[in-house]
């Protein structure tokens, strides 16, 4: 059993964007297009099928609800409804092929650790980051373009 939770954006956020075509919390217009890159969808965490899947680009703050200081940026979701990624399903296999930056944060959005992964060995990097007990969560970003992909938390803190 994996000791981490892999957290996609909330279903409510994805549904709101699809319904309003606006970025939650910002009101910026969202943009719908046929996928020209792999993604992934930040709700189901599956890669897009380039030239086939339609996706929506919008502004998202991955710190919303966690920290008072925002750090918004662009993310994509499937234009059509998709199932939210199961937090207990392990690291999304399709993302392993891409270079990632793992940022370990403590309370107050303090960056305590940053590890680059180019070989798909995400769990090894997570073990290294979470060895620092002050790390509350990790944000995973695409190293090539810098976009937020998902959040990771320890399972042992679920009931705290």
């Amino acid at each position: 059993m994996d000791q981490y939770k892999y957290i996609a954006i909330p279903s409510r956020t994805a549904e709101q964007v699809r319904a309003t075509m606006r970025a939650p919390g910002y009101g910026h217009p969202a943009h719908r297009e046929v996928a020209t890159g792999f993604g992934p969808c930040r709700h189901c965490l599956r890669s897009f099928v380039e030239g086939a899947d339609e996706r929506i680009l919008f502004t998202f703050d991955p710190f919303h609800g966690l920290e008072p200081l925002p750090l918004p940026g662009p993310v994509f979701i499937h234009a059509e409804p998709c199932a939210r990624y199961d937090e207990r399903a392990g690291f999304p296999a399709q993302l392993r092929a891409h270079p990632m930056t793992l940022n370990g944060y403590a309370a107050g959005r303090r960056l305590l650790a940053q590890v680059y992964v180019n070989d798909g060995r995400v769990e090894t990097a997570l073990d290294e980051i979470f060895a620092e007990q002050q790390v509350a969560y990790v944000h995973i970003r695409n190293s090539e373009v810098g976009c937020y992909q998902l959040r990771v938390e320890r399972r042992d803190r679920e009931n705290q």
Side-chain angles (χ1 to χ4, degrees):
M1 178 191 292
D2 201 320
Q3 61 186 331
Y4 304 114
K5 295 187 306 182
Y6 301 92
I7 304 169
I9 67 168
S11 292
R12 189 170 79 182
T13 301
E15 291 163 2
Q16 181 181 1
V17 169
R18 289 182 186 115
T20 66
M21 289 302 289
R22 297 255 173 224
Y26 298 96
H28 303 150
H31 172 75
R32 184 175 178 150
E33 66 180 17
V34 173
T36 57
F38 69 88
C41 171
R42 290 355 181 251
H43 185 247
C44 69
L45 300 179
R46 290 189 332 261
S47 296
F48 294 109
V49 177
E50 293 180 49
D53 286 346
E54 289 203 6
R55 63 187 185 178
I56 299 172
L57 172 68
F58 67 99
T59 303
F60 178 73
D61 175 20
F63 288 103
H64 179 76
L66 293 172
E67 303 289 350
L69 298 172
L71 188 62
V75 296
F76 289 101
I77 58 171
H78 282 106
E80 298 302 319
C82 55
R84 185 171 186 256
Y85 190 77
D86 180 353
E87 295 177 357
R88 300 173 185 276
F91 188 80
Q94 291 183 345
L95 301 185
R96 288 187 190 278
H98 307 286
M100 293 169 267
T101 301
L102 283 67
N103 293 323
Y105 292 97
R109 206 182 88 185
R110 288 183 305 123
L111 181 63
L112 297 181
Q114 188 171 67
V115 176
Y116 301 102
V117 175
N118 294 309
D119 60 6
R121 297 175 53 178
V122 177
E123 292 84 358
T124 302
L126 288 169
D127 291 345
E128 177 184 329
I129 292 170
F130 280 121
E132 169 55 59
Q133 290 302 306
Q134 289 186 7
V135 172
Y137 52 90
V138 172
H139 282 183
I140 297 182
R141 293 182 170 267
N142 178 299
S143 293
E144 293 174 330
V145 294
C147 295
Y148 171 83
Q149 294 184 331
L150 69 146
R151 184 175 79 240
V152 182
E153 295 177 358
R154 293 180 185 92
R155 278 190 170 181
D156 62 0
R157 292 192 177 179
E158 285 180 323
N159 298 319
Q160 292 182 7

